[in-house]
Amino acid sequence: MTLPNGLTRRALLMKLGILFNGFIALVLAVPIVRYLLSPISREKKGAYDAWVALGNLEQFPSGQTRLATYRNPVVNPWDGDTGDIPCWVRNVDGQNFQVFAINCAHLGCPVRWFPQSSLFMCPCHGGAYYQDGSRASGPPERGLFEYHYKIDGGKLLIKASEMPTPGQTSNIVREIRQCV
Amino acid sequence: MRLIKSIGEWLDERLQIGEVIKETVEHSVPRETASWFYVFGSAAFVVFMLQIVTGIMLAFIYVPSAGEAWNSLQTLNHQVALGWFIRALHGWGSDFMVAIVLIHMVQVFLFGAYKYPRELTWIVGVFLLIVTLGMAFTGQVLRFDQDAYWGLGIGASIASRVPVIGPFIVNLMLGGPIIAGATLSRFFALHVFVVPGLLIAFVSVHLLMVIKLGINEWPMPGRVVRKATYLKEYHELTKKDGIPFVPGAVWKDLFFGGFILLSIAACALYFGPFGPSGPPDPTIIQTAPRPDFFFLWLYAVLSFLPPSMETPALLIGPVVGILALLLLPFVFGEGEKSWRRRPVAVLTILFVAVVLGTFTRLAEHTPWSPVMDAWSGIPIPSQFLHHRTALERQGALVFQVKQCHNCHSLDNQGGKRGPTLDAVAVRLTPDQLIRQVIQGGGNMPAYGKNLSPAETTALVAFLETLHPAGQSPARDAARAIALGSDTAAPASGHP
């Protein structure tokens, strides 16, 4: 059987078959893409907004900068040690604190604190920061990332669930403080 | 023997594949292409086969879990019989594969093989290079150690700089908010399924085109490629003066492929497997992460770019580079093939090789990184302390305690981040030294808040002693006049 425009019945059925499979592929693509994008589309609530305790205030003597670690509030049971995140806590004057991310603002390497020269130094590309986290020298374009903190029941708590990167600073104090 | 023959005949009657294979292996190739210059493509293929085999063997033991991956590598290294050797083969195979792919690329570039009608072969080859580098990077992540952990952090930091969608790319890359189990799982899937799948697909197309279009003939100066006449000329070259690929040319591929496998095995045996370095515990911050060999040049570039140029260079540079490679056959699809008549091509290769080689070499020394333990671990060489006053020695102490040594070297020991200070007193006057220490600048932090006046005085007194014997320290000629003294003549040394 041939239709007026020269299309045979079988050719038409084949085209319909291709169309049908294309439609099915489209229907299946929706959940697949949704699945693949789950790290982006997941709602950042609950644990993402949690305050994480870094320890008692006595652990952070006035005028000093100490390393603290916390268990990331968003973890899977199989994350192992990677769920333990370090950060630098600076007790400015007994009242005010600064909590810096461990990650250099250049490319995320772990910065180290040198109390003698009051500098944070990065082992990767040589970024250096002053004690208040502001940029001192090297390739970083900005100061260290700083977490929001609060003091509750004699404990120091911070809001930190995401690794800070130069483009991703949702949980981070945005202002860069001047030298205190 | 007769049994094997009859089994073969039985199989081929059903498979119907013998004729195709015979045609493929005996196809005619230009006589000069049976050359040692034409062995790199097949060698890359041989190493890829080795990677597949050793990769599958590693997957028998390896656990792609953030909590267990590192331990399973320790088991492979120390408990499983010859597990270390399989790991070493896979690791060295990876380095050899990248190296051979690069050499192959240089060879086909210099031999003009990307010209008509082999443009698509070249383009697929460019994809093969990208995919091979993708395998190297994802493989480095699976060696889930400190370097892998912080390397992922570097990758995420670079990705996050993409305008607007940067943060989403980071989340997609890490599979969650931090580098953790989800990150390793997705890199495992990429390294074991996705990227090898692409690699196999691209290799198949690449090989098919080499067979269908014929191998690039040996370029002769003056034999110019023109679309109108090339196919006819090539046909004459292969049919009139050609030799069958098997056995005419294949024996060199076989020998070179075998030699490469032997070299990989020798390296694996002698140097052993790569790492793993320390466990992927981010709370161990006493680490200086470094990328694997073929990404070292990038590590160096990232430390030399001025901060303002870094993001544009990181995001635009690779796009421009890949586009240039992809457009090459379209812009230069005809013309001379011989490298003897293409000086710009030769110079380009030399330039790129020197640049990459220099950056790689620099990255092996990391002169831009502070030596984090120089202040406590590297003493000041004794010649800088002999016959010094108490104040000057006090300054030397300040130099150590305030970590100056981490960035500044004395007698070639210590950090190379800042200038070496062996002769700093010749370059800077005492006033300039004080200003530099207090205010910093020129990529040096300001120490004004961290040094007491007494410490500064002592430090500058020490720095003032750092000049070669017989060469007097720099002085401000106007100072003596300003102070009303006429002792402006140099104290010693030069007239």
Side-chain angles (χ1 to χ4, degrees):
Chain A
M1 193 178 90
T2 306
L3 294 175
N5 59 3
L7 196 66
T8 63
R9 176 173 160 274
R10 284 181 181 174
L12 178 71
L13 283 173
M14 185 187 78
K15 284 184 177 171
L16 281 175
I18 291 171
L19 209 66
F20 177 61
N21 276 280
F23 175 72
I24 299 293
L26 209 64
V27 169
L28 283 178
V30 172
I32 288 172
V33 170
R34 179 81 177 70
Y35 170 84
L36 285 176
L37 293 182
S38 68
I40 295 175
S41 60
R42 94 170 76 178
E43 270 195 79
K44 292 185 175 170
K45 284 186 179 164
Y48 277 89
D49 280 333
W51 286 97
V52 196
L54 293 181
N56 294 321
L57 289 182
E58 300 87 72
Q59 289 174 247
F60 309 107
S62 179
Q64 295 196 21
T65 300
R66 294 278 175 94
L67 189 72
T69 60
Y70 61 92
R71 187 77 183 164
N72 200 64
V74 186
V75 278
N76 289 311
W78 57 88
D79 281 348
D81 293 338
T82 57
D84 296 326
I85 310 290
C87 60
W88 290 108
V89 178
R90 177 188 181 214
N91 184 336
V92 181
D93 52 11
Q95 309 287 318
N96 296 297
F97 288 79
Q98 282 186 293
V99 184
F100 303 113
I102 198 75
N103 306 93
C104 181
H106 178 225
L107 289 172
C109 287
V111 294
R112 271 183 249 175
W113 168 246
F114 289 87
Q116 299 84 359
S117 52
S118 296
L119 288 174
F120 293 98
M121 289 192 209
C122 177
C124 283
H125 299 101
Y129 307 84
Y130 292 116
Q131 58 181 351
D132 65 343
S134 56
R135 176 187 179 276
S137 73
E141 287 183 272
R142 49 159 293 160
L144 287 173
F145 305 111
E146 196 179 336
Y147 297 115
H148 290 287
Y149 77 93
K150 72 172 182 183
I151 296 162
D152 195 3
K155 282 186 187 300
L156 182 66
L157 300 116
I158 60 167
K159 235 180 206 188
S161 58
E162 289 192 81
M163 186 181 101
T165 50
Q168 183 153 2
T169 50
S170 55
N171 283 333
I172 302 295
V173 178
R174 274 178 189 277
E175 53 167 329
I176 311 291
R177 297 193 187 191
Q178 292 307 305
C179 212
V180 179
Chain B
M1 206 60 207
R2 197 188 295 162
L3 181 69
I4 295 173
K5 193 164 185 275
S6 65
I7 290 175
E9 279 167 359
W10 185 91
L11 282 173
D12 195 48
E13 198 182 341
R14 282 142 191 95
L15 284 169
Q16 294 291 320
I17 203 170
E19 197 57 34
V20 183
I21 292 176
K22 194 165 180 295
E23 262 175 40
T24 306
V25 300
E26 289 180 355
H27 78 278
S28 197
V29 295
R31 187 172 292 276
E32 299 92 346
T33 63
S35 152
W36 288 109
F37 279 102
Y38 280 67
V39 295
F40 300 112
S42 64
F45 184 76
V46 168
V47 180
F48 180 42
M49 292 297 114
L50 174 78
Q51 293 303 89
I52 291 179
V53 172
T54 51
I56 291 173
M57 285 198 272
L58 290 177
F60 282 143
I61 308 287
Y62 181 75
V63 183
S65 147
E68 301 300 337
W70 192 81
N71 292 328
S72 70
L73 292 179
Q74 295 295 340
T75 303
L76 267 165
N77 271 3
H78 301 296
Q79 251 111 75
V80 179
L82 289 175
W84 66 272
F85 186 62
I86 304 297
R87 279 201 67 228
L89 280 178
H90 200 66
W92 282 102
S94 149
D95 272 3
F96 269 79
M97 186 159 160
V98 178
I100 292 171
V101 166
L102 286 176
I103 293 170
H104 177 53
M105 195 167 182
V106 168
Q107 185 263 320
V108 295
F109 174 72
L110 288 178
F111 280 47
Y114 56 84
K115 291 179 191 289
Y116 177 83
R118 300 184 183 82
E119 300 96 327
L120 192 60
T121 320
W122 167 267
I123 288 168
V124 174
V126 172
F127 288 133
L128 277 169
L129 173 74
I130 297 168
V131 172
T132 304
L133 289 175
M135 284 305 279
F137 182 77
T138 52
Q140 178 185 322
V141 170
L142 295 198
R143 193 181 63 229
F144 206 55
D145 54 10
Q146 276 178 332
D147 286 353
Y149 181 90
W150 297 107
L152 279 167
I154 291 172
S157 296
I158 292 173
S160 82
R161 295 172 181 220
V162 178
V164 187
I165 55 167
F168 300 112
I169 300 179
V170 172
N171 273 337
L172 209 56
M173 177 185 154
L174 300 184
I178 55 169
I179 302 162
T183 318
L184 181 58
S185 294
R186 59 188 44 219
F187 273 86
F188 182 75
L190 286 174
H191 186 77
V192 174
F193 300 110
V194 181
V195 186
L198 289 173
L199 200 47
I200 290 169
F202 288 143
V203 165
S204 308
V205 178
H206 197 70
L207 273 179
L208 185 74
M209 280 189 287
V210 170
I211 290 164
K212 289 284 175 194
L213 299 173
I215 192 85
N216 184 44
E217 79 281 4
W218 186 275
M220 301 292 274
R223 193 197 281 157
V224 178
V225 177
R226 286 191 195 84
K227 280 181 187 168
T229 56
Y230 179 79
L231 290 179
K232 190 164 157 283
E233 287 166 9
Y234 184 79
H235 187 78
E236 280 172 14
L237 212 56
T238 48
K239 288 293 171 293
K240 294 203 177 131
D241 191 31
I243 52 170
F245 175 64
V246 175
V250 77
W251 69 270
K252 282 178 179 155
D253 291 288
L254 291 173
F255 271 82
F256 188 72
F259 169 73
I260 288 296
L261 286 182
L262 201 64
S263 306
I264 294 172
C267 284
L269 204 61
Y270 187 77
F271 297 106
F274 299 152
S277 66
D281 179 349
T283 63
I284 303 171
I285 61 166
Q286 272 70 27
T287 173
R290 278 157 57 89
D292 279 1
F293 182 77
F294 280 104
F295 299 100
L296 278 176
W297 64 273
L298 184 63
Y299 181 48
V301 168
L302 286 171
S303 68
F304 284 129
L305 281 171
S308 56
M309 271 184 63
E310 201 163 80
T311 302
L314 276 175
L315 301 181
I316 300 169
V319 177
V320 172
I322 292 167
L323 268 183
L325 289 175
L326 293 179
L327 290 178
L328 175 75
F330 297 107
V331 181
F332 303 105
E334 292 185 308
E336 281 280 357
K337 272 186 174 176
S338 171
W339 58 271
R340 290 168 195 274
R341 298 272 173 97
R342 290 164 57 222
V344 177
V346 176
L347 283 175
T348 306
I349 291 293
L350 285 177
F351 175 72
V352 173
V354 168
V355 167
L356 291 183
T358 308
F359 280 129
T360 303
R361 178 93 180 123
L362 280 167
E364 283 173 341
H365 296 279
T366 61
W368 52 82
S369 295
V371 177
M372 302 296 256
D373 58 357
W375 67 289
S376 56
I378 301 177
I380 292 180
S382 56
Q383 69 263 33
F384 296 109
L385 299 171
H386 278 164
H387 310 299
R388 299 287 180 254
T389 66
L391 181 68
E392 287 158 358
R393 287 191 181 179
Q394 184 63 32
L397 205 59
V398 174
F399 182 82
Q400 290 292 79
V401 169
K402 295 295 178 180
Q403 279 101 19
C404 307
H405 215 169
N406 287 17
C407 291
H408 294 285
S409 66
L410 285 174
D411 197 23
N412 219 16
Q413 295 174 54
K416 305 277 195 303
R417 170 89 218 175
T420 180
L421 298 183
D422 288 10
V424 69
V426 179
R427 294 200 306 273
L428 298 176
T429 66
D431 284 352
Q432 287 173 322
L433 281 170
I434 293 171
R435 195 215 62 79
Q436 183 64 32
V437 168
I438 302 284
Q439 294 182 8
N443 215 9
M444 174 173 156
Y447 280 80
K449 288 196 165 50
N450 304 324
L451 288 174
S452 69
E455 285 171 328
T456 310
T457 308
L459 180 62
V460 172
F462 170 65
L463 295 175
E464 269 294 281
T465 67
L466 300 176
H467 57 88
Q471 204 173 349
S472 55
R475 64 190 179 83
D476 185 349
R479 187 177 167 86
I481 298 165
L483 292 176
S485 146
D486 55 359
T487 55
S492 64
H494 300 270

